[in-house]
Structures are given as structure tokens and as C-alpha cells.
Amino acid sequence: MGAGNDKDVALEDRARIEETDPIRGIHDLESGHRPRHDATEHTVCHQLRLALRSMTANHYGFDTLAIHAGQDPDPRTGAVVPPIYQTSTYAQDAVGAPRLGYEYSRSSNPTRDALQECLAAIEGGRRGLAFASGLSAEDTLLRTVCRPGDHVVIPDDAYGGTFRLFSKVLENWGLDWTAVPLENLDAVRAAFRPGHTRLIWAETPTNPLLNVADIAALAGLAHEYDAMLVVDNTFASPYLQQPITLGADVVVHSTTKYLGGHSDVVGGALITATDDLGDQLAFHQNAMGGVNGPFDAWLTLRGIKTLGVRMERHCDNAERIVGFLREHPAVAGVLYPGLEDHPGHEVAAKQMQRFGGMVSFRAAGGPEQAIAICNKTKLFVLAESLGGVESLIEHPGQMTHLSAAGSALEVPADLVRLSVGIETVDDLLADLEQALG
């Protein structure tokens, strides 16, 4: 039999395998057991993976998806951890025939693809996209779905970096915005400009005041005006809250935080509710180029594997610390959605599994005492960021939210923010006791 006939038979066999057994089809595609193919191969493989995920994701628990989604053993060696494809480019089988669709690592990389599939699975979305930072993900999203002259509703206590992106960068590009308390639906509706408001940008819980917005209600309001709902889910993590299941169109993460979980990698992510929007964002991800490297993707995947067990410990420790702070005379007030007198407690209880590892409090002695507390802790490391295994403390007004000073989003000067880690909780309590004095 001639070479041409062999190729035809192989193609027929492959098509039959994919039609009758999508799981085997995926593994055969990835194992290299096929003839040369055209540039659509990567798209075909991605579509098969989507079909498989839709068939299987609902049958597995969160921790199973976190450990296995997108992370099949390597077909050549059996390695149970996805390899780090530390390469910038890929040999092609022929002109116009890249192997498995891989041409250049800005466009796609197998390690990043594994992370992106895992992100989509644990957030209950259709498409996951990984970026070099959370702000890179935000910028790509906003410049994909918005145009100059559009308008966005944002929280009146948004993360300082997000506020800076809107106020100092995208405003110059022609994107307008209005900051309102998203927990007040009447205020959100009043801020809408029909025909111009493109999306609601939500954080819940917010950074650093830990306000809670009703995701389902915001989604209904956005869709009523033919707008989109974007939810920054960084504080909650997919383990505690899945906004897409509540009606959100896009979920944003700084994967630097709870997803990575070990303060050793910077990254961001977008997860979409539809393939259509995912395809648009994937085009801009490549065109704008703000992707993460393969080693960063690998570190984030490693962190996600233990997200569930880490979040349980973060929550356990946070609840103990909240109880301690509530009784301490140096503390004027504690902000935590798990408290029954928190104004967003009922909504948080409805849409979150637990209430998270972030705690903010106000110093009874005012701004000077707040700064002194931050400077006195020993186990709580004075540092920006959050969501790592180690506990962090910061003064938002002079650190993470300094860019909001003098604006409507300025945070109280007596505010202290804790990212409660997974250390022995009695040691953390003792450290706070000596710092509070």
C-alpha cells in the first residue's frame, strides 16, 4: 500500500476514534499517533476537551477537578505532573501544519493550556485564559469588550490597582466609569447609562472593606440593560464562590493570591461563561501578548491542587482571629462577612461556601495606632498581596490603596488588613496580642 493510502487510512481511523470515543481521541491526538495535520488541529483538540469537560465536570468534586482537570499524565512518559514546556517556539511538520497547533508560546503553550483548562473547570466556566498578572487580565478584558465612549459601573471600594487602571489609564483611552456601592442595587441602577454602560465590574467581598454584593441580582440588572457582569473573585477563590453559576459573564482572578497560594508567582486569569466570549478574549490575549510564562503557569497549577484544603484552614484561622479582635479594646470594629451583624452577611451566606481568610479591622487609637500595629507584628509579615500560606498585615491607606487617596475610593486611615495564613492559629493570636498591646 502506498504512503498516500496509509495517510488516508490513518485519518479515517482517527476520525472514527474521535467520533466514537472522545476520551481516546484526545489521548491519541496528544500522544503523537497521527499523520501530519493542518493548523486547525489545536482547535479540534480544544473542542474535544470542552466536550469531555462538559460530560465529566459535573460528576467530580472541586478537589478532584483542581488536581486532575487539564492535567492528564504525560502520554509519552507517564509523568503525573504536567511538564514545563520552557520553549518559545515549536518545530512545524510542514508550512501551514504546526504540530498540534503549537507555533509560538505567546499564542499557546501546553503548560499554560493545562492551567487554562483547570481554571475553567474549577470556576464552572467554558473557557479559561491565563495572563502575566491580574491587571494584565483586566486590561485585556476591558479593551476587548469596551470601546471609547463606553461606561462601566465599578465598586466604590475597589482594589487600588483596578481603580488606577480605570482612572489613570483607560479613562485616557475614552472609557468612562462611575463608582457606586454595589450592595445598593438602587444606586447601581441609577448609575446606568442605557446604551453606554457596557458592564458592571464587581468585587465581592471587596478589597479591603469586605463589602458583599449580590452576584445573582447584579447579573439580572446587567442583563436587563444588555450589559455584562464581571466579578473579581480573587478574595473568595473558586473554592468558596463560583460567580458564573450565579449569572456572571466573566470571572477575574489575580492568580498571585489564593490560586497560586505560596507567594512565589504573579499571574492573572479570565474565565468566561460562553465559548464565544472566550474566543474573543483568546484573540486579544494573543494580540496584546500579556501572557504568563510556562514556569509561572506550572507554579499556579501546583498551587491550585491544594486550594480546597488551604481555604478550609484559612477560614478556620480567620474565624478564630475575628473572635479575638471583636473582644480586644484596641479594636474599634471588625469587618468580616462571617459576622452576623455584617451588612452583607445574609448575601454572603447565600453565595459563599464559607467566609474567607481576609479580615480588616479599625484601630481604636486611630491612624497612628493602625500603623504601629502593622509595624509591631512578627509572624504577620508586613507586606502587600494576600492569599499565601503565610499571614500578612498591611495598612491599605499607605500601601495597596495609596492610588485611591483623595478620591471617592479612599479607604479609612485607621484601617488594618489581614491576610490570615495557615500557621498554627494560637501563634497568630499571640502575635496580634503583643502587637495590639
Side-chain angles (χ1 to χ4, degrees):
M1 185 177 289
N5 290 335
D6 286 343
K7 178 177 179 180
D8 291 341
V9 170
L11 286 170
E12 290 172 5
D13 288 345
R14 176 170 150 258
R16 186 166 57 253
I17 288 170
E18 292 170 2
E19 181 179 358
T20 59
D21 188 349
I23 298 177
R24 184 180 168 198
I26 288 172
H27 287 301
D28 283 356
L29 281 173
E30 294 186 332
S31 66
H33 299 153
R34 68 187 117 46
R36 292 178 177 179
H37 48 272
D38 61 34
T40 64
E41 189 73 30
H42 184 66
T43 301
V44 171
C45 189
H46 174 68
Q47 290 171 343
L48 284 168
R49 284 189 172 279
L50 287 177
L52 178 60
R53 184 168 68 235
S54 67
M55 289 187 294
T56 60
N58 292 335
H59 299 296
Y60 293 119
F62 180 90
D63 293 313
T64 302
L65 292 173
I67 293 168
H68 292 287
Q71 302 170 75
D72 294 335
D74 180 67
R76 290 180 298 169
T77 66
V80 298
V81 175
I84 302 171
Y85 286 86
Q86 194 69 44
T87 183
S88 61
T89 192
Y90 305 83
Q92 301 190 22
D93 291 335
V95 174
R99 195 171 303 170
L100 280 179
Y102 290 105
E103 302 170 312
Y104 187 60
S105 275
R106 184 193 69 247
S107 303
S108 56
N109 175 281
T111 314
R112 188 167 75 242
D113 285 349
L115 170 60
Q116 293 180 153
E117 184 175 341
C118 184
L119 288 167
I122 62 176
E123 273 288 6
R126 292 296 301 171
R127 188 79 180 265
L129 298 162
F131 294 83
S133 69
L135 284 169
S136 175
E138 292 184 14
D139 183 44
T140 301
L141 170 61
L142 288 164
R143 289 198 283 153
T144 298
V145 302
C146 296
R147 298 291 179 268
D150 283 348
H151 172 252
V152 178
V153 178
I154 70 171
D156 65 350
D157 60 339
Y159 163 55
T162 299
F163 171 71
R164 183 176 57 232
L165 178 63
F166 277 103
S167 65
K168 304 298 184 185
V169 179
L170 292 171
E171 188 173 299
N172 295 331
W173 181 68
L175 184 64
D176 201 4
W177 54 274
T178 302
V180 300
L182 295 188
E183 61 274 18
N184 183 339
L185 291 177
D186 290 335
V188 177
R189 185 181 293 276
F192 254 79
R193 302 176 189 172
H196 293 280
T197 300
R198 182 66 179 130
L199 56 88
I200 299 173
W201 187 281
E203 292 177 15
T204 182
T206 58
N207 179 5
L209 297 179
L210 297 167
N211 288 315
V212 175
D214 189 324
I215 296 172
L218 287 176
L221 180 57
H223 299 158
E224 178 184 336
Y225 287 93
D226 197 27
M228 299 169 57
L229 174 63
V230 175
V231 177
D232 184 335
N233 202 29
T234 299
F235 262 35
S237 87
Y239 180 74
L240 299 180
Q241 178 174 272
Q242 294 184 330
I244 287 174
T245 66
L246 298 170
D249 300 284
V250 187
V251 169
V252 177
H253 279 283
S254 170
T255 58
T256 309
K257 312 306 193 295
Y258 285 110
L259 290 170
H262 294 78
S263 301
D264 56 7
V265 62
V266 173
L270 301 173
I271 300 94
T272 66
T274 65
D275 290 326
D276 239 11
L277 181 56
D279 291 342
Q280 294 175 45
L281 289 169
F283 173 85
H284 284 81
Q285 179 195 42
N286 178 51
M288 296 167 70
V291 298
N292 60 354
F295 186 52
D296 290 347
W298 185 88
L299 284 171
T300 306
L301 266 177
R302 183 190 65 170
I304 289 173
K305 289 176 185 287
T306 60
L307 178 61
V309 291
R310 285 189 287 108
M311 291 309 300
E312 290 290 344
R313 183 63 171 267
H314 285 300
C315 293
D316 288 343
N317 285 358
E319 289 170 6
R320 287 280 306 278
I321 285 171
V322 165
F324 165 80
L325 292 173
R326 290 263 283 189
E327 301 300 322
H328 202 286
V331 176
V334 180
L335 309 178
Y336 187 67
L339 293 170
E340 291 187 2
D341 58 358
H342 185 285
H345 175 72
E346 289 187 11
V347 174
K350 178 179 66 174
Q351 65 191 25
M352 298 178 71
Q353 181 171 307
R354 294 185 69 182
F355 301 104
M358 300 301 299
V359 179
S360 293
F361 66 92
R362 302 184 72 167
E368 289 186 5
Q369 186 198 22
I371 293 171
I373 292 168
C374 292
N375 288 335
K376 286 180 181 177
T377 57
K378 296 179 174 61
L379 276 179
F380 280 86
V381 179
L382 179 62
E384 297 187 359
S385 197
L386 59 103
V389 292
E390 63 287 304
S391 294
L392 304 179
I393 190 170
E394 67 128 356
H395 184 263
Q398 294 194 28
M399 295 173 69
T400 53
H401 290 68
L402 182 60
S403 62
S407 76
L409 280 76
E410 183 173 6
V411 299
D414 60 359
L415 190 73
V416 175
R417 191 190 77 180
L418 304 178
S419 173
V420 180
I422 64 172
E423 300 96 335
T424 302
V425 70
D426 289 338
D427 296 332
L428 296 176
L429 291 170
D431 190 32
L432 288 172
E433 177 68 58
Q434 65 81 25
L436 288 166

